[in-house]
Each structure stands twice: as structure tokens, then as C-alpha cells.
Amino acid sequence: MKNKTGNAMHEMTIAVNIVDIAVQTAQKAQAQKINKITVEVGALSGVVPESLEFCFGEACKGTMAENAELELIRIPAKAQCMSCGFRFETNQFLNICPKCGAEALASGGQELQVKAINVD
Ligand SMILES: [Zn+2]
């Protein structure tokens, strides 16, 4: 893995990984250029989308993904109430059940993966 800037930012590491995966996939498909990369980002993955988009632009430079579009699909986490069993979507780990007011823990929402790439 390259780290051109020496920047230890979380999102930069992720962006470089995304570009690496996309380039490897595109090369296997004998593509010339990557137009678009679709990435699933879970609500509890800890990734800041704006930051990831900025880092993605930097990570693409000098690769076949240069100027590619980054499409982020936000995936909400799911919480289930420990008291009444009510299920709902959430963006945080600890939640209060909207039905009965008890604690509800979230699960899922940790997704961070390249879902699709569009190549020429
Ligand atoms: Zn409840």
C-alpha cells in the first residue's frame, strides 16, 4: 500500500484500499479506465463521507481510477429493543426504543466495501 502524503488519517487509508481493490478488479477485467466506484458505508463504520470523498480524489490520482466518481451508499444499522423486541433503523450504537423507552442496541452498520465498479 502506498502512502504518498504520510497522512495517517483513517479515511485516507480506507480511500487507498478502495482504489486498490477497484484497480485490481478493473485489471482482471482488462479495463482501461474506472469511471465510477460504488461503496457501501455502514452508519456505524466510523467513516465520515465528506472526508472519504476528499481522500478518494487524492487516492485516485495517477491511477486508472483518476477522476472516477465515488458513489457512497449509506447503510443504516438496525436496533432491536431488549424489552419489547421492537426493531428499527438507527445511526447510533446505543438507542432508546421509540415504543417503550427501554435500551436498544444496534447491530450491523459496520459495512465498508466496494460494491461495484463501472469501467471502460
Ligand atoms: Zn421497546
Side-chain angles (χ1 to χ4, degrees), residues 66-93:
E66 187 152 10
N67 298 321
E69 181 191 339
L70 176 66
E71 182 186 27
L72 293 179
I73 300 177
R74 310 285 324 258
I75 312 247
K78 290 185 175 60
Q80 180 169 19
C81 176
M82 291 187 286
S83 177
C84 74
F86 183 65
R87 293 166 184 265
F88 54 98
E89 290 189 346
T90 181
N91 292 325
Q92 49 195 0
F93 185 68

Side-chain angles (χ1 to χ4, degrees), residues 5 19 37 51 53 61 67 69 73 81 83 85 96 102-103 119:
T5 60
V19 173
I37 305 177
S51 184
E53 278 167 11
K61 281 180 187 163
N67 298 321
E69 181 191 339
I73 300 177
C81 176
S83 177
I96 299 296
E103 258 184 34
V119 297

